[in-house]
Amino acid sequence: MPVLENNGTTRELTTAETVVGSGATATWRVPGADLAAKHFIVAVSEDGNVSVRSCSTQNVVVVNGRQLGARPLPLADGDTIAAGTTQFVFARDASALREPREGDSSPAYLVDERSRVAFPLDRRTVSIGRDQASIIAVRDPQVSRFHADVKSEAGVYVLYSMGSAGTKVNGHGVAAPRVLESGDRIEIGGTSLTFTRGPLPQGVKPTRGEEHEDATEWSRRPTVTSGVVTTGESQRVEASGRSPLLMVGIVLVLAALAVVIVRAIL
């Protein structure tokens, strides 16, 4: 009988699908582990094969250190499923259960190669943005005030993009949480940060970030996105190039008013 083990609790996979999550509708409810209400599903097929799939593209599920994709992944004895702050071990029989596979415990950084500094990822969440409260404060008009977060989750580091200007990893846009791998290049606006594990490159020094005198002023600036300024409430065309249609409309209104006034006088 295939089983899952979590923190000393072993559950037999007796049904076709076992939904793991924190909500009341989950088949196996695991509270206090930062799981979604329905986080992932372990399915047993008629021929006895077992696979795992995520309940949502927004749910981070990691199998043996690799992010689970959109398709179900077949499971083998000893496979470790990490989600939230907990781990599950799969086996085809309880007698074959093993200890969870250990992840990479080496220190992780986001490296700004242009400035030759590295920001340690030693907090549960490291915020990136133009706001003065961001742990990694970026002075770039193309970066949103609250642009992205890097979270320690499922034994890995996950990038969450929130900025209106978008975020890229290795040249590709990020539409869902993305597990970072060493060497990944994160692009936000005109700023590039490289995810690094282990020893830092020569000449790169760790930093906690520094407060700048212009931090508040940068935090209040609107975000520039492809010629459009985003204030967080609405968008408007930059003052340097007002909409031609708007200018034509104003001229027509003024002309109509002039005609009315002249007729009234005559």
Side-chain angles (χ1 to χ4, degrees):
M1 177 69 67
V3 297
L4 277 182
E5 187 273 336
N6 172 253
N7 290 332
T9 300
T10 302
R11 187 182 186 94
E12 293 183 343
L13 304 175
T14 57
T15 58
E17 291 190 342
T18 299
V19 181
V20 181
S22 61
T25 58
T27 308
W28 188 358
R29 188 180 183 189
V30 183
D34 287 343
L35 298 179
K38 297 170 67 175
H39 205 98
F40 64 88
I41 296 174
V42 178
V44 182
S45 64
E46 292 182 357
D47 57 8
N49 291 321
V50 183
S51 63
V52 59
R53 69 179 188 271
S54 178
C55 291
S56 169
T57 57
Q58 298 302 310
N59 296 345
V60 175
V61 182
V62 176
V63 181
N64 302 332
R66 305 286 292 185
Q67 185 172 11
L68 186 63
R71 296 180 178 180
L73 178 71
L75 292 173
D77 279 338
D79 281 350
T80 298
I81 304 170
T85 59
T86 193
Q87 294 178 319
F88 302 79
V89 179
F90 170 78
R92 292 197 170 274
D93 186 84
S95 61
L97 279 171
R98 308 171 186 173
E99 291 295 320
R101 300 192 185 192
E102 295 185 2
D104 189 351
S105 59
S106 57
Y109 303 88
L110 288 183
V111 177
D112 185 340
E113 296 180 353
R114 182 173 57 184
S115 302
R116 307 300 291 170
V117 296
F119 301 92
L121 301 176
D122 53 2
R123 307 188 188 193
R124 179 68 190 280
T125 301
V126 174
S127 55
I128 307 171
R130 207 178 62 250
D131 191 84
Q132 59 181 330
S134 298
I135 294 175
I136 301 179
V138 181
R139 308 297 180 238
D140 185 334
Q142 298 182 61
V143 175
S144 300
R145 290 180 59 208
F146 307 101
H147 198 103
D149 285 340
V150 175
K151 296 183 179 181
S152 174
E153 180 180 355
V156 293
Y157 291 91
V158 185
L159 174 69
Y160 288 81
S161 177
M162 302 171 292
S164 59
T167 305
K168 292 182 179 180
V169 174
N170 302 330
H172 301 283
V174 175
R178 166 74 179 260
V179 171
L180 296 173
E181 298 181 6
S182 189
D184 280 348
R185 184 177 296 273
I186 303 170
E187 300 170 46
I188 51 175
T191 301
S192 177
L193 300 168
T194 302
F195 177 72
T196 302
R197 300 208 73 151
L200 290 172
Q202 187 174 4
V204 175
K205 297 181 179 180
T207 180
R208 293 287 177 181
E210 299 178 356
E211 286 292 334
H212 298 274
E213 292 182 358
D214 62 347
T216 301
E217 191 272 337
W218 268 99
S219 179
R220 292 175 177 173
R221 288 188 183 184
T223 304
V224 177
T225 308
S226 301
V228 175
V229 178
T230 304
T231 63
E233 298 179 355
S234 61
Q235 293 184 333
R236 68 178 187 275
V237 180
E238 288 186 272
S240 58
R242 291 187 176 180
S243 169
L245 291 177
L246 177 61
M247 298 301 295
V248 170
I250 293 174
V251 171
L252 290 176
V253 170
L254 292 176
L257 288 175
V259 171
V260 171
I261 293 173
V262 170
R263 287 180 176 178
I265 295 173
L266 296 177

